[in-house]
Amino acid sequence: MTVRRGQAGSAPPGASLTRDLVIDAGMQILETEGFERLTIRGLAAKLGVAATSIYWHVGDKQALLDALVDRIIAQLAEVSVRGRDGQARIISIASSLRKTLLERAELVALVHHQGRTAALFLPARRLLVKELAAAGVDGPAAPLAVQAVLNLVIGSVLLDRQIERQPAQRPTAEERLPIGADGSELPAHPPDPIDEEELFRYTLGALVRTVTTS
Amino acid sequence: MTVRRGQAGSAPPGASLTRDLVIDAGMQILETEGFERLTIRGLAAKLGVAATSIYWHVGDKQALLDALVDRIIAQLAEVSVRGRDGQARIISIASSLRKTLLERAELVALVHHQGRTAALFLPARRLLVKELAAAGVDGPAAPLAVQAVLNLVIGSVLLDRQIERQPAQRPTAEERLPIGADGSELPAHPPDPIDEEELFRYTLGALVRTVTTS
DNA sequence: ACCTGAACACCGTTCAAGT
DNA sequence: ACCTGAACACCGTTCAAGT
């Protein structure tokens, strides 16, 4: 529990600015207005102080982003495990992680952009190593299997975010050709919009089956 | 073959500015100095014209990025196919695509950021649909399998780029704990740096085996 | 048709100066 | 210790004006 300031406007009198308050306000801008709108000057205005005060409390913009990413990673650290056998538990870890990250896909994109993906995935990595060991997977193949699952998750989240942002990807002239140049009738895009959830489970299932039976 | 200007400095006299020349120069900045250094003003300076001339020839910055992404997609369209049986050919498509994209990972990231990933993957998608059909995979599972392979590739490329950029991800205090709080001895990061190529082939193999035997 | 400079509304950042 | 305004070096973009 930290002290809260008002949603907008200048600061209430009596509360002095702290590093945490600055980062709180930055997080709020990030979530409500998006990354592009997060500026030092805008952040200062929201707090009712001069832009240079930000530098005193948290440092330059990179330091601000580092602090925000630290907070995001801490928020997204929880992973749940369910299921009886090893396969089900591994799939449950990956699925719950994906679900959590999808709800904050913009923040995940920022974490990734700042090069902190490994830290974001650390709790899930620990769980996966444990579950794989319990399922009898060890030796040099184990870290490979863990990373394969994590890659699947982050790839899925990063792609899903793009699909949300750009529901109908702008087709170029070439893509609008009704029939392939070779005479076949291959549609340029999947005929039905693909269920990303189903797609994820499909690949994950294939991967986990291989991992636990080799 | 298009007319080329000098590497830097002002334009040679006699050659009038065209849209293609502007985009050429933009591409050059993108490749040699990176996305962050690509500015309208810098581009104009490189061409020896006023910044406002860029607007006349190609439009605003979004229009410039669109044109650059179109060109990148055209450049990266080639995909090769090798191998006798269906499994080998599908793996060869995915691997060659990954290799091509990895050589231009920064440009791929831009394409992805601009929401044009689907267009980038269109030629590979066509090939995959064809090969899967030849391998006897059809029905509603086919587009799912195709997209699963493509997701694997783009995920691999986006992650690999991050690893290149940030060889040692900045560890937080919590990550530096030598031993897990539960008493187990799980290393926070994979003990050996993972071979991304091997990782990719591992998941791809699992996926293709599932696709061609279900 | 093509190109210009001036201007506007922004950025991040530094720094000397205040209290 | 904490906060300020002024200033610097940038951005993208618009627009009236030139030829």
Side-chain angles (χ1 to χ4, degrees), chain A residues 115 118, chain B residues 160-170 189 193:
Chain B
D160 196 282
R161 176 168 158 274
Q162 164 156 345
I163 289 163
E164 273 180 40
R165 253 194 328 173
Q166 197 110 350
Q169 291 224 346
R170 188 167 72 79
H189 296 284

mmCIF file of all heavy atoms in Angstrom, chain A residues 115 118, chain B residues 160-170 189 193:
data_model
loop_
_atom_site.group_PDB
_atom_site.id
_atom_site.type_symbol
_atom_site.label_atom_id
_atom_site.label_comp_id
_atom_site.label_asym_id
_atom_site.label_seq_id
_atom_site.Cartn_x
_atom_site.Cartn_y
_atom_site.Cartn_z
ATOM 1 N N GLY A 115 14.404 -5.455 -23.373
ATOM 2 C CA GLY A 115 15.372 -6.543 -23.244
ATOM 3 C C GLY A 115 15.310 -7.278 -21.917
ATOM 4 O O GLY A 115 16.326 -7.789 -21.444
ATOM 5 N N ALA A 118 13.773 -12.310 -20.225
ATOM 6 C CA ALA A 118 14.248 -13.412 -19.384
ATOM 7 C C ALA A 118 13.794 -13.229 -17.938
ATOM 8 O O ALA A 118 13.352 -14.172 -17.287
ATOM 9 C CB ALA A 118 15.767 -13.509 -19.460
ATOM 10 N N ASP B 160 15.448 -13.990 -31.062
ATOM 11 C CA ASP B 160 16.870 -14.019 -31.370
ATOM 12 C C ASP B 160 17.430 -12.601 -31.444
ATOM 13 O O ASP B 160 18.518 -12.327 -30.955
ATOM 14 C CB ASP B 160 17.099 -14.726 -32.704
ATOM 15 C CG ASP B 160 18.548 -15.136 -32.876
ATOM 16 O OD1 ASP B 160 19.373 -14.265 -33.198
ATOM 17 O OD2 ASP B 160 18.844 -16.318 -32.667
ATOM 18 N N ARG B 161 16.641 -11.721 -32.018
ATOM 19 C CA ARG B 161 17.066 -10.328 -32.135
ATOM 20 C C ARG B 161 17.323 -9.733 -30.752
ATOM 21 O O ARG B 161 18.307 -9.038 -30.531
ATOM 22 C CB ARG B 161 15.973 -9.540 -32.856
ATOM 23 C CG ARG B 161 16.273 -8.069 -32.955
ATOM 24 C CD ARG B 161 15.320 -7.404 -33.909
ATOM 25 N NE ARG B 161 15.239 -5.986 -33.628
ATOM 26 C CZ ARG B 161 14.415 -5.466 -32.736
ATOM 27 N NH1 ARG B 161 13.636 -6.237 -32.045
ATOM 28 N NH2 ARG B 161 14.380 -4.160 -32.540
ATOM 29 N N GLN B 162 16.420 -10.048 -29.811
ATOM 30 C CA GLN B 162 16.611 -9.515 -28.468
ATOM 31 C C GLN B 162 17.899 -10.036 -27.845
ATOM 32 O O GLN B 162 18.638 -9.297 -27.205
ATOM 33 C CB GLN B 162 15.434 -9.901 -27.584
ATOM 34 C CG GLN B 162 15.757 -9.725 -26.109
ATOM 35 C CD GLN B 162 14.520 -9.527 -25.283
ATOM 36 O OE1 GLN B 162 13.463 -9.256 -25.808
ATOM 37 N NE2 GLN B 162 14.658 -9.644 -23.992
ATOM 38 N N ILE B 163 18.166 -11.322 -28.034
ATOM 39 C CA ILE B 163 19.364 -11.924 -27.462
ATOM 40 C C ILE B 163 20.621 -11.267 -28.021
ATOM 41 O O ILE B 163 21.550 -10.965 -27.290
ATOM 42 C CB ILE B 163 19.371 -13.440 -27.750
ATOM 43 C CG1 ILE B 163 18.287 -14.116 -26.915
ATOM 44 C CG2 ILE B 163 20.714 -14.038 -27.440
ATOM 45 C CD1 ILE B 163 17.931 -15.488 -27.385
ATOM 46 N N GLU B 164 20.614 -11.010 -29.313
ATOM 47 C CA GLU B 164 21.754 -10.307 -29.917
ATOM 48 C C GLU B 164 21.977 -8.947 -29.284
ATOM 49 O O GLU B 164 23.083 -8.573 -28.953
ATOM 50 C CB GLU B 164 21.491 -10.099 -31.411
ATOM 51 C CG GLU B 164 21.921 -11.263 -32.283
ATOM 52 C CD GLU B 164 21.620 -10.956 -33.735
ATOM 53 O OE1 GLU B 164 21.828 -9.810 -34.151
ATOM 54 O OE2 GLU B 164 21.163 -11.865 -34.447
ATOM 55 N N ARG B 165 20.853 -8.235 -29.127
ATOM 56 C CA ARG B 165 20.956 -6.861 -28.648
ATOM 57 C C ARG B 165 21.410 -6.779 -27.204
ATOM 58 O O ARG B 165 22.066 -5.840 -26.806
ATOM 59 C CB ARG B 165 19.582 -6.175 -28.782
ATOM 60 C CG ARG B 165 19.511 -5.185 -29.885
ATOM 61 C CD ARG B 165 18.272 -4.341 -29.720
ATOM 62 N NE ARG B 165 17.198 -5.119 -29.101
ATOM 63 C CZ ARG B 165 16.054 -4.591 -28.718
ATOM 64 N NH1 ARG B 165 15.851 -3.317 -28.899
ATOM 65 N NH2 ARG B 165 15.118 -5.325 -28.167
ATOM 66 N N GLN B 166 21.011 -7.777 -26.411
ATOM 67 C CA GLN B 166 21.225 -7.693 -24.979
ATOM 68 C C GLN B 166 21.860 -9.006 -24.515
ATOM 69 O O GLN B 166 21.228 -9.815 -23.834
ATOM 70 C CB GLN B 166 19.876 -7.499 -24.266
ATOM 71 C CG GLN B 166 20.028 -7.002 -22.855
ATOM 72 C CD GLN B 166 19.548 -5.573 -22.728
ATOM 73 O OE1 GLN B 166 19.283 -4.917 -23.719
ATOM 74 N NE2 GLN B 166 19.476 -5.087 -21.523
ATOM 75 N N PRO B 167 23.156 -9.228 -24.828
ATOM 76 C CA PRO B 167 23.785 -10.529 -24.598
ATOM 77 C C PRO B 167 23.651 -10.986 -23.149
ATOM 78 O O PRO B 167 23.308 -12.116 -22.873
ATOM 79 C CB PRO B 167 25.241 -10.280 -24.957
ATOM 80 C CG PRO B 167 25.306 -8.957 -25.605
ATOM 81 C CD PRO B 167 24.054 -8.199 -25.278
ATOM 82 N N ALA B 168 23.888 -10.074 -22.222
ATOM 83 C CA ALA B 168 23.686 -10.403 -20.817
ATOM 84 C C ALA B 168 22.530 -9.575 -20.297
ATOM 85 O O ALA B 168 22.678 -8.388 -20.039
ATOM 86 C CB ALA B 168 24.947 -10.116 -20.010
ATOM 87 N N GLN B 169 21.367 -10.202 -20.201
ATOM 88 C CA GLN B 169 20.215 -9.464 -19.694
ATOM 89 C C GLN B 169 20.469 -9.031 -18.260
ATOM 90 O O GLN B 169 20.889 -9.811 -17.434
ATOM 91 C CB GLN B 169 18.964 -10.345 -19.776
ATOM 92 C CG GLN B 169 18.528 -10.583 -21.212
ATOM 93 C CD GLN B 169 17.026 -10.450 -21.377
ATOM 94 O OE1 GLN B 169 16.299 -10.433 -20.406
ATOM 95 N NE2 GLN B 169 16.572 -10.318 -22.603
ATOM 96 N N ARG B 170 20.198 -7.780 -18.019
ATOM 97 C CA ARG B 170 20.460 -7.197 -16.707
ATOM 98 C C ARG B 170 19.704 -7.959 -15.624
ATOM 99 O O ARG B 170 18.481 -7.953 -15.578
ATOM 100 C CB ARG B 170 19.991 -5.737 -16.732
ATOM 101 C CG ARG B 170 20.344 -4.933 -15.524
ATOM 102 C CD ARG B 170 20.126 -3.465 -15.803
ATOM 103 N NE ARG B 170 18.718 -3.116 -15.862
ATOM 104 C CZ ARG B 170 17.959 -2.943 -14.786
ATOM 105 N NH1 ARG B 170 18.478 -3.091 -13.585
ATOM 106 N NH2 ARG B 170 16.708 -2.615 -14.903
ATOM 107 N N HIS B 189 19.006 -18.846 -14.879
ATOM 108 C CA HIS B 189 19.097 -18.863 -16.330
ATOM 109 C C HIS B 189 19.629 -20.218 -16.776
ATOM 110 O O HIS B 189 20.255 -20.923 -15.998
ATOM 111 C CB HIS B 189 20.023 -17.742 -16.795
ATOM 112 C CG HIS B 189 19.504 -16.382 -16.457
ATOM 113 N ND1 HIS B 189 18.491 -15.780 -17.146
ATOM 114 C CD2 HIS B 189 19.845 -15.530 -15.471
ATOM 115 C CE1 HIS B 189 18.235 -14.601 -16.597
ATOM 116 N NE2 HIS B 189 19.044 -14.425 -15.581
ATOM 117 N N PRO B 193 24.484 -21.124 -22.529
ATOM 118 C CA PRO B 193 23.693 -20.349 -23.491
ATOM 119 C C PRO B 193 23.074 -21.312 -24.492
ATOM 120 O O PRO B 193 23.738 -22.179 -25.048
ATOM 121 C CB PRO B 193 24.724 -19.433 -24.141
ATOM 122 C CG PRO B 193 26.055 -20.039 -23.850
ATOM 123 C CD PRO B 193 25.895 -20.754 -22.549
#
